[in-house]
Structure formats: structure tokens, C-alpha cells
Amino acid sequence: MRAFVLTGPGECAVREVPVPAATPGEVVVDVERVGVCGTDVEFFTGEMAYLHEGHSSYPMRLGHEWAGTVSAVGEGVDPSWLGRRVMGDTMLGDRTCRRCLRGRQHVCERRQEVGIRDGRPGALAEKVAVPAWSLHALPDPVDAVLGALVEPGGNALRAARAADAGPGDRALVLGPGTIGLLTAMFLRAAGAEVHLMGRTDESLAFARDLGFEHTWTEAALPDLPFDAVVEASNAAHLPALALDVVEPAGRVVYIGLAGSPSRVDTRAVALKDVTAVGVLSASPGLDDTIAAYAAGTVDPRPLVAATVGLAGVGAVLAGEPVGGAGPGPKVHVDPRLP
């Protein structure tokens, strides 16, 4: 089968690789859509911390935001999974440690991560093998495009819930990328007044096209009481800004990751009586994200700017524009395309 293989920083190719087998407890999925995300870009550039910490190494197969149809099941797997449309959890805990047994397998110290950590190839291929227990079935209203947006949506849903903002509350999202916009959508669905801060006129114009009328650059950010602030950017200075602008007794949610350390004054956290929350992984939010998409409570389709085949992934990771792409921040991959 064909797969996108990353062999080093900036080095990649579409190659023929062995078809995965449905080993005991696992399934094979025919991949229909895969989202390209910032983590994939960091692996392409060689900046991803996991490469330097020994968790990941080249060659590797990326792809952790995916959807497809189960085409084979291994021994011990319920055969009713065959033919079902699914997406899968990225974080695969060992299911035996203290964290896993407490329902926190996404922070298992010995976890695998699909398309990210060594030992678990990702979905930028015609087929992917994953444990059956990591699957989440997709109802009819959630097609492959929405299915591949469940993983980033799960992260955003968790961030929005951590912000705990609803009717009568004003929330600020820093960074109108995929996660920031999805978080804004979930906050809006919860009834909050949502503001977005970004760097470019294009990204803010797109946010306004999605119905978010309160959009700002950092220089123009108004002096308003923000009951919750979600930091969803990759800018090292914005975690401190989030703490500066949040209301006393408010909530700050950190889901963005910068390439260098950020500095936050914990005295301000204490003196402002702020609740600060970090969010890693969509795992606890996947089912509720699928339900929100199915009900139409949140519609992330406009975020997908273009869909390319495996041969186009390298250019996307290198930041090259995709011909005919829309204004959204997300590019999808259909491995079935030439």
C-alpha cells in the first residue's frame, strides 16, 4: 500500500509499505481523511520535542487526525466493527498503570501516540492499524470530513469546558488557528460572548466570516473584563498576556504550545485568584465532540481549506500554498487520491 513516509527534517516521499495486519485485539481501517496539524509540521522541520527526548525517530508515518472504515478485525475483536465508519483516539495508554486505571490513559507514561510516538504508525497511508478499544463509531451525519476533525475538536471541547464560560460570560481566545476557532465555536455554543485575538488581517477576517464579530489584533485588544481566556497560539509571550487580561477569579486555559519556554508569574495567579488549566489530548472529549457534530451544534467544515492526496503532503508541511485552497486553517488528505 502507499504511505507518506518522513525520513528526516524536510525529507519525505510516498512509498510502498507493507499492508498492516489485524493482529489480536486490533483492527485495520481503510483511511478516508486525515488532517495535517502543527505537530506534523514540527516533525517535518525537526523541531518537535519528542525527537530530542527519544520518544520519536525517523523514519516515521504521520497522521493522527483521521477517519475511515474498518476493513479487517483481529482475533478477539467484535466482528460487528467490520464495515463501520470510525475515528480513533491518538493516545494509547498501556491500560495497566495507575493513570490508565483512573481513566487518564492519555497521560500514561508508557503511552503510544498514533502517528507521533515510535511504535504506532499514523494514518497518512491507505490503511492504518489500531487497537479496537481506541475506536469511536461515527454516526451517519458525521462524514469523513467531520470524522477527521473530531480529534482537534476533542481538544477544543475540553478547552472550552475548562474555560467554564456560558451565558453572561465574556471569553477571549488567543490564536485563531484550528484549535482556537474550534474552541471559539464550542464557547459560542455554550452561550458565551466570544472574542478572538490574532496576528493577521486574513485570519481575523475568516473568523468574522464564521460569525465572530469581536476580533482583535494584540495592539487593538480592548480593555474589557474577560471572564475566561483560552491561550491557543504558539507565541511564547501570550501565556503571560492571558493571565494579565483575565478577570480576577477568572479562568485561564493553556492549550497552545510555543517552540520556546513561556514565563508566567505565579504571583499573579495567586493574587488574582485565577484558575489555570492545562489541556493535553482530545481523549476525554471525543464522544461528546462526535455528538456535537452529529447534532449540528458545532459545524467545523469551513475550517478545511483544501484536500490533497498523499503526494501533496510534503508541500503542505513545507508551508507551500495549495492551489484553489479556501481561507480556512486546515488541510485534509485523502489517501485514495492519486
Side-chain angles (χ1 to χ4, degrees):
M1 71 170 187
R2 295 184 308 135
F4 176 84
V5 181
L6 189 60
T7 55
E11 300 174 359
C12 57
V14 177
R15 295 182 175 177
E16 287 291 327
V17 301
V19 176
T23 58
E26 299 207 349
V27 303
V28 173
V29 177
D30 291 348
V31 182
E32 297 169 12
R33 285 289 189 284
V34 189
V36 178
C37 92
T39 300
D40 301 321
V41 174
E42 289 186 9
F43 278 119
F44 181 80
T45 62
E47 296 171 335
M48 176 60 182
Y50 280 2
L51 290 168
H52 309 289
E53 295 169 352
H55 298 306
S56 307
S57 61
Y58 305 113
M60 65 185 304
R61 291 222 308 266
L62 303 172
H64 61 277
E65 304 174 0
W66 59 268
T69 300
V70 177
S71 58
V73 299
E75 180 183 348
V77 177
D78 185 343
S80 69
W81 278 114
L82 275 172
R84 297 183 73 180
R85 299 174 49 259
V86 297
M87 60 79 57
D89 199 342
T90 300
M91 306 298 211
L92 309 179
D94 64 14
R95 308 187 80 194
T96 62
C97 71
R98 184 174 186 267
R99 296 174 191 172
C100 286
L101 295 177
R102 291 187 167 204
R104 299 167 183 162
Q105 57 92 17
H106 61 291
V107 290
C108 171
E109 187 174 358
R110 292 182 291 273
R111 69 184 180 272
Q112 295 181 330
E113 297 182 26
V114 177
I116 297 176
R117 288 200 183 200
D118 284 344
R120 185 58 67 173
L124 278 176
E126 293 177 316
K127 298 176 182 286
V128 66
V130 295
W133 62 263
S134 71
L135 297 177
H136 293 257
L138 299 177
D140 289 341
V142 181
D143 62 8
V145 174
L146 289 176
L149 287 164
V150 170
E151 199 278 342
N155 281 281
L157 173 65
R158 292 191 63 214
R161 286 182 170 173
D164 194 26
D169 294 325
R170 180 180 292 114
L172 172 65
V173 178
L174 306 179
T178 298
I179 297 297
L181 289 170
L182 281 165
T183 301
M185 289 178 175
F186 280 111
L187 286 167
R188 180 171 61 187
E193 177 186 305
V194 182
H195 294 242
L196 284 138
M197 192 189 88
R199 291 185 300 175
T200 68
D201 292 337
E202 292 79 11
S203 66
L204 295 177
F206 180 65
R208 289 192 294 273
D209 288 342
L210 295 176
F212 295 103
E213 58 180 299
H214 307 295
T215 62
W216 316 99
T217 61
E218 185 173 349
L221 187 66
D223 183 15
L224 293 172
F226 294 108
D227 304 291
V229 180
V230 179
E231 204 292 291
S233 80
N234 60 3
H237 74 287
L238 289 186
L241 177 68
L243 183 57
D244 287 343
V245 301
V246 74
E247 274 284 275
R251 299 176 72 86
V252 175
V253 181
Y254 293 112
I255 190 170
L257 294 174
S260 58
S262 301
R263 297 189 181 276
V264 172
D265 189 343
T266 57
R267 293 173 297 181
V269 176
L271 293 173
K272 293 182 72 172
D273 197 29
V274 166
T275 299
V277 182
V279 173
L280 170 73
S281 168
S283 301
L286 294 175
D287 285 333
D288 287 346
T289 299
I290 292 170
Y293 289 177
T297 306
V298 168
D299 180 11
R301 292 176 189 275
L303 302 186
V304 180
T307 301
V308 302
L310 291 172
V313 175
V316 172
L317 293 175
E320 299 176 16
V322 178
K330 177 66 68 175
V331 173
H332 272 183
V333 181
D334 184 344
R336 301 167 297 181
L337 293 176

